[in-house]
Amino acid sequence: MIGPLFLDPAESYKDFEGRELIVTTVDNFPFFKLRYRENGLPPVPDSGIDANIITTLSIYLNFTFVVVEPADGRWGGPQPDGTVTGMIGEVAGHRAHLAIDEITITPNRETVVDFTHPYFLESTTLVSRAPAERARSLAVFYPFSYYLWVLLVVVTLVTGPLVFLVSRGHDLCLPEVKGQKQYDGNHTPSYTFKKKIIALETRGNRDSVKNLATVSFNVFRTLVIQGNFLPARSWPLRLMLFSWYAFCIILYALYAGTLTAYMTKPSYEPAIDSLEDLLDAHELGFVPAAQTGTSNLRIMQAATSGLFKALWDITDPARSFPGSGKEALEKVLTEKIVYMSSNLNANVRATQRGRHRFHLARNTFFPQGYGIACRPGSPFTLVFDILLMRMRQGGLVDKWTDDELSMLQRTSGQEGAQDGDAGGSRVLKGAVTRTLSLNHVQGAFYVLTGGLLLSAMVLLMETIGYRYQILKM
């Protein structure tokens, strides 16, 4: 019987017969933690998601492997000058059979290596310094934004003169005084109405400023939910005042409710939760950062337009290209950078250094898959695909991920307890409602003190002016 002309790779490579493969990786918990040995011996896997994957493949397919690290310690890929760096360069240059360690599958890398199907799906997040708590002394101003406060002042200053103009127009044009008709049989204004107009015009210039100030002050009294003494003798004025009263009631309710929340719970500076927020934060000195040799850096470099191009334009060579994730998170705490990192890796590194010290963006971007990089044309790639799919479907990858995170949480919890912060619980404790104290309402006293000082200054100026008028007489 004649056998098949072409061998099935899935059958041919289901047993490597004890062959040794060279696997390139870097020390990168929780995916591949290395244990270094003495006497110049190569490192061996210690723990990690990808370490479990390659170990399981070696057992099932009957091969051994030796770990080598790339000279530059990076993930790498094809560069503009034609070179290939990092782990990808080791495989593309046939110095290693495969690379596995949180390696993102990208079109750029697929030009020099072959990838297995993705075994881990991930997205990218932004790591920034935890927003600082706002000063409680100014909490009375926090419920409204700066622009809203300005708009509120303008509206209040404009409404007073408008109410005055409507009220004065009513006094001049109303054809009735004390409920009596002011027209004679020839439809001409009566003497009483003419007299009223003359009287108003005579003292109009003298009383206008005083009346305007009185009306404006009463409008302000309504804003702070105090009674006023504005008579509404016409429907236009009644409608205007009704709308102003409704506006003030709604505004006061919103302010009071929001102020209560700010007083009883801590308030923080705006957080960087998206790429758009990162662009806006550049005005405050923040710049984007991505680890050298990663796909996150490559996507900004390759962008020719849009959001990523705008981010690339504001990078700072001195701060934006850390050599490792550890260095990046240290810079996040000491410099104004926002680090782009995979979501899981960012959580792990932030937890190791104190989760409460960092903020991870709510919105993630750049969905990606991790795969094993093999030499171009490697016949065993299909076998790896089959086994990786079984691991995913059987829940092994998820289990190994949970095991690594559980170990991290136990370790971080113990270290946090020694530091008085059980794994970042300080943030949760800060959200508990507290009894109000003088520290919470200092802003209100600042406003009162400022008003009293201003009032004293005006009184002094009026007194000096009055004395000056007496001396002139």
Side-chain angles (χ1 to χ4, degrees):
M1 181 178 180
I2 301 176
L5 180 61
F6 300 102
L7 298 178
D8 184 1
E11 292 295 327
S12 302
Y13 288 91
K14 66 180 180 181
D15 188 348
F16 281 61
E17 299 179 352
R19 291 182 175 86
E20 182 181 80
L21 299 184
I22 300 176
V23 177
T24 180
T25 187
V26 296
D27 188 34
N28 176 41
F29 180 82
F31 285 91
F32 215 117
K33 180 66 176 175
L34 293 176
R35 178 166 54 86
Y36 294 92
R37 300 184 291 178
E38 299 178 353
N39 302 324
L41 295 174
V44 295
D46 184 53
S47 62
I49 302 167
D50 289 349
N52 283 314
I53 289 176
I54 192 63
T55 301
T56 303
L57 289 174
S58 69
I59 295 173
Y60 191 86
L61 297 175
N62 188 25
F63 66 82
T64 61
F65 65 92
V66 60
V67 172
V68 296
E69 295 182 275
D72 57 9
R74 299 173 180 172
W75 278 254
Q79 302 301 310
D81 60 2
T83 61
V84 185
T85 60
M87 291 185 286
I88 300 299
E90 295 294 309
V91 176
H94 287 211
R95 294 182 293 273
H97 293 98
L98 57 92
I100 177 173
D101 192 353
E102 194 186 6
I103 302 177
T104 302
I105 302 172
T106 65
N108 184 50
R109 290 171 175 169
E110 286 183 311
T111 61
V112 293
V113 297
D114 287 345
F115 278 100
T116 63
H117 291 317
Y119 60 86
F120 195 98
L121 300 180
E122 182 64 293
S123 59
T124 304
T125 188
L126 299 175
V127 185
S128 57
R129 194 183 313 166
E133 185 175 353
R134 291 178 172 180
R136 292 297 184 90
S137 58
L138 301 177
V140 292
F141 300 107
Y142 294 157
F144 294 156
S145 66
Y146 168 77
Y147 298 104
L148 183 55
W149 279 116
V150 173
L151 180 61
L152 184 58
V153 171
V154 172
V155 169
T156 305
L157 293 177
V158 170
T159 303
L162 286 178
V163 172
F164 170 73
L165 291 176
V166 172
S167 177
R168 183 170 176 78
H170 160 74
D171 291 338
L172 290 174
C173 302
L174 186 67
E176 295 186 37
V177 176
K178 296 182 180 180
Q180 299 179 358
K181 295 289 183 179
Q182 300 302 322
Y183 292 91
D184 55 19
N186 297 323
H187 299 280
T188 56
S190 65
Y191 172 77
T192 305
F193 187 57
K194 291 179 181 179
K195 185 177 180 180
K196 178 179 178 63
I197 293 177
I198 295 173
L200 287 172
E201 290 177 347
T202 301
R203 71 172 189 271
N205 295 331
R206 183 184 61 205
D207 294 342
S208 291
V209 175
K210 178 181 178 181
N211 291 338
L212 176 60
T214 301
V215 171
S216 298
F217 180 70
N218 278 275
V219 167
F220 172 74
R221 285 172 59 89
T222 306
L223 180 65
V224 293
I225 315 300
Q226 298 294 317
N228 64 67
F229 306 98
L230 295 177
R233 291 175 290 185
S234 67
W235 276 107
L237 184 59
R238 291 168 186 166
L239 293 174
M240 175 177 286
L241 292 178
F242 174 80
S243 60
W244 175 249
Y245 296 160
F247 171 79
C248 293
I249 291 173
I250 296 172
L251 202 67
Y252 179 82
L254 293 174
Y255 176 82
T258 309
L259 180 62
T260 301
Y262 276 114
M263 289 292 192
T264 55
K265 296 181 180 180
S267 172
Y268 298 92
E269 298 293 337
I272 300 176
D273 281 321
S274 65
L275 294 175
E276 291 80 1
D277 292 343
L278 175 52
L279 279 177
D280 295 337
H282 181 59
E283 298 180 358
L284 302 177
F286 288 90
V287 296
Q291 184 176 340
T292 305
T294 61
S295 57
N296 293 323
L297 178 59
R298 177 62 182 171
I299 193 175
M300 287 195 296
Q301 288 177 322
T304 57
S305 62
L307 196 55
F308 285 105
K309 178 62 167 62
L311 291 173
W312 176 252
D313 292 339
I314 63 174
T315 55
D316 180 4
R319 295 183 289 165
S320 296
F321 312 117
S324 65
K326 179 179 180 180
E327 178 187 349
L329 263 70
E330 291 299 329
K331 283 191 172 184
V332 167
L333 296 177
T334 58
E335 303 179 22
K336 289 188 174 183
I337 71 166
V338 180
Y339 177 51
M340 296 182 181
S341 175
S342 61
N343 200 25
L344 177 60
N345 206 310
N347 270 288
V348 169
R349 295 188 184 280
T351 302
Q352 289 174 329
R353 289 162 179 77
R355 184 63 179 82
H356 64 284
R357 303 168 70 187
F358 300 91
H359 174 76
L360 271 62
R362 299 175 183 271
N363 301 319
T364 59
F365 59 97
F366 189 28
Q368 55 198 280
Y370 300 154
I372 300 177
C374 306
R375 292 179 182 178
S378 295
F380 54 79
T381 304
L382 177 60
V383 183
F384 280 12
D385 281 337
I386 296 173
L387 294 180
L388 289 173
M389 181 179 62
R390 292 177 182 175
M391 292 181 194
R392 284 287 299 171
Q393 292 176 343
L396 284 177
V397 177
D398 293 335
K399 177 185 180 302
W400 290 328
T401 303
D402 293 340
D403 290 345
E404 297 298 329
L405 294 180
S406 297
M407 182 172 60
L408 173 66
Q409 290 172 356
R410 289 194 299 270
T411 305
S412 300
Q414 293 173 358
E415 294 176 353
Q418 296 173 0
D419 296 335
D421 175 28
S425 61
R426 191 174 301 167
V427 176
L428 297 178
K429 291 178 181 178
V432 178
T433 302
R434 306 171 184 176
T435 302
L436 298 182
S437 64
L438 179 61
N439 182 50
H440 296 112
V441 293
Q442 290 182 55
F445 284 93
Y446 292 159
V447 173
L448 178 60
T449 303
L452 292 176
L453 291 176
L454 182 61
S455 177
M457 290 175 58
V458 173
L459 178 60
L460 179 61
M461 293 173 61
E462 289 182 346
T463 303
I464 294 175
Y466 176 70
R467 294 294 183 184
Y468 178 73
Q469 292 293 335
I470 292 178
L471 293 175
K472 289 181 62 178
M473 294 177 61

